[in-house]
Amino acid sequence: MAPTDCGVCADTDLARLEPALPSTRAVVLTLIALAMGGFAIGVTEFAAMSVLPDFARGLGVDEPTGGHAISAYAAGVVVGAPLLAVLGAKAPRWLLLIVFMGLFAVGNGLSALSPSFEWMLVFRFLSGLPHGAYFGVAALVAASIVPREIRTRAVSTVLMGLTIATVIGVPVATLLSQVWGWRSTFVIVSVLAVLTMALVAAFAPRDAARPGAGALRELAALKNRQVWLTLGVSAIGFGGMFAVYAYLASTLREVTGVGPEVAAWVFAIFGVGMFTGNLLGAWAGDRFGFKAAAFLLIWSAVALALYPAASHSLWTLFPVVLAIGAGGGLGSILQTRLMDVAGEAQTLAAALNHSAFNTANALGPLLAGMAVAAGLGWGATGWVAVALTLGGLAIWVWAALVGRRSHHVAS
């Protein structure tokens, strides 16, 4: 029987681990180590957007074309997450985390050395390959070391590294890029990745490979309709946030009329919104489950609809950017949802969430860039974002209806 919508199919590995949970100190140190990887990933993912005008100019392309480097990174995540998850299915999770961060460090180091935009595309794609697999495995490790009723909050702690990156890492990297050049952003990320490798090696639990783990068991996730619908919510619904964020620096310059020193503060405000949304989203996910995702999608659609008008003034833009960032709390809710519907195929399903997330990261900037290139103006990025967010909400409704029908049949 296919897993139902009510969470009956929760990860059996997690259930077995609950009686022997580690000490509070060990949990905290492990979560810090995992979050550091999220911080490194957050800096490269979001700072690449904030320095887009700089590397586009430095490599001799216009900004809509420069946005293709962001899409190339996202494409690497989409490809790498399922591929690396399946290939590493039999390996211990702590070792996978170290290997993935090593690959991430190399990819970003090469990005800093890009001699042309064509090579930049290749290196950004390579940098993206381990992104989703790292987050997927890190989320499973985080969920396995805490009681079931706070799983979403544990997963959100891993993602907290990403949100802290948007508050601190991205603004700092943006400012440093003004002094040392855009290449320094990717050097910083490589250093952070190496630091993560050291922390994971020191503090992550030395779990053994799961009994019966293998590629075939992981691929079983692809037969589950609820897995695909949850991924669809992420792939389409998150595209709205990226459609706006990818061109926020350009909008600030061309529409709001502010320089890069002010733009850094706007990106920090977005990060504060994302940090807050991650905390509240995790709480709502543990309390209300998948229903919390619908609220966040509606919230995001309203905030994004306000963006085109708000972008003409810095003071109206501040609260709207804060609200758009808060929509990022959707991530931990969807990650936990996949744990509940994926059955035994936990690693692949968890990694696929980040493939979906970065499908959004590719789709949003691509469609928004096309709208700008068509002469619709920078404000059009907001209307593209609204359409994508409402598309994600429609898929959520579909998933809820399918889940209700499956539960009715099962009972």
Side-chain angles (χ1 to χ4, degrees), residues 154-167:
V155 171
S156 75
T157 302
V158 178
L159 298 177
M160 195 71 72
L162 189 150
T163 60
I164 291 173
T166 64
V167 179

Side-chain angles (χ1 to χ4, degrees), residues 314-368:
L314 193 61
W315 301 111
T316 54
L317 188 61
F318 279 157
V320 171
V321 167
L322 183 74
I324 292 171
L330 183 64
S332 58
I333 297 171
L334 296 179
Q335 190 78 67
T336 306
R337 164 72 171 183
L338 284 168
M339 293 179 189
D340 286 337
V341 300
E344 294 294 322
Q346 292 286 308
T347 304
L348 178 58
L352 281 172
N353 188 41
H354 296 279
S355 286
F357 187 82
N358 282 273
T359 297
N361 193 2
L363 186 64
L366 177 63
L367 295 179

Side-chain angles (χ1 to χ4, degrees), residues 42-407:
V43 172
T44 199
E45 185 168 27
F46 290 98
M49 300 178 192
S50 68
V51 300
L52 189 157
D54 299 318
F55 76 70
R57 182 171 55 253
L59 296 174
V61 298
D62 58 29
E63 289 171 30
T65 302
H68 296 166
I70 297 169
S71 296
Y73 177 90
V77 182
V78 172
V79 172
L83 180 63
L84 294 178
V86 170
L87 291 176
K90 294 185 177 182
R93 287 172 177 165
W94 66 271
L95 181 59
L96 287 177
L97 293 173
I98 294 173
V99 171
F100 294 157
M101 268 294 116
L103 294 173
F104 186 72
V106 171
N108 280 279
L110 292 173
S111 297
L113 300 174
S114 300
S116 67
F117 184 67
E118 289 74 20
W119 277 111
M120 181 68 158
L121 292 176
V122 173
F123 295 147
R124 294 316 293 151
F125 177 82
L126 293 176
S127 298
L129 288 175
H131 170 135
Y134 174 84
F135 265 131
V137 174
L140 292 174
V141 171
S144 73
I145 60 176
V146 299
R148 178 178 172 79
E149 61 270 18
I150 59 170
R151 285 181 311 152
T152 308
R153 274 167 278 188
V155 171
S156 75
T157 302
V158 178
L159 298 177
M160 195 71 72
L162 189 150
T163 60
I164 291 173
T166 64
V167 179
I168 300 173
V170 173
V172 169
T174 302
L175 290 173
L176 290 177
S177 73
Q178 305 300 316
V179 179
W180 295 337
W182 61 266
R183 297 178 190 273
S184 65
T185 299
F186 302 109
V187 174
I188 292 169
V189 171
S190 291
V191 173
L192 291 172
V194 173
L195 176 59
T196 301
M197 294 170 68
L199 291 174
V200 169
F203 301 123
R206 296 301 177 98
D207 62 311
R210 278 78 60 211
L216 291 179
R217 192 172 83 171
E218 294 297 333
L219 290 171
L222 303 181
K223 300 178 182 179
N224 189 321
R225 181 161 55 167
Q226 280 292 354
V227 168
W228 284 109
L229 289 173
T230 305
L231 294 173
V233 174
S234 184
I236 305 300
F238 259 128
M241 184 181 72
F242 285 112
V244 162
Y245 193 95
Y247 298 102
L248 181 57
S250 300
T251 302
L252 286 166
R253 187 184 68 244
E254 301 295 336
V255 179
T256 316
V258 298
E261 67 285 349
V262 176
W265 289 104
V266 178
F267 281 105
I269 288 172
F270 177 92
V272 170
M274 200 168 185
F275 181 87
T276 305
N278 192 44
L279 289 176
L280 295 177
W283 171 83
D286 280 330
R287 185 173 177 82
F288 301 109
F290 195 40
K291 294 177 182 177
F295 172 78
L296 280 174
L297 287 166
I298 294 169
W299 170 279
S300 295
V302 172
L304 291 164
L306 296 172
Y307 175 77
S311 62
H312 292 277
S313 167
L314 193 61
W315 301 111
T316 54
L317 188 61
F318 279 157
V320 171
V321 167
L322 183 74
I324 292 171
L330 183 64
S332 58
I333 297 171
L334 296 179
Q335 190 78 67
T336 306
R337 164 72 171 183
L338 284 168
M339 293 179 189
D340 286 337
V341 300
E344 294 294 322
Q346 292 286 308
T347 304
L348 178 58
L352 281 172
N353 188 41
H354 296 279
S355 286
F357 187 82
N358 282 273
T359 297
N361 193 2
L363 186 64
L366 177 63
L367 295 179
M370 290 172 63
V372 173
L376 299 179
W378 295 107
T381 60
W383 298 117
V384 170
V386 170
L388 288 168
T389 303
L390 292 178
L393 182 61
I395 298 172
W396 180 92
V397 171
W398 184 6
L401 291 174
V402 169
R404 187 176 304 168
R405 191 179 308 120
S406 298
H407 179 60

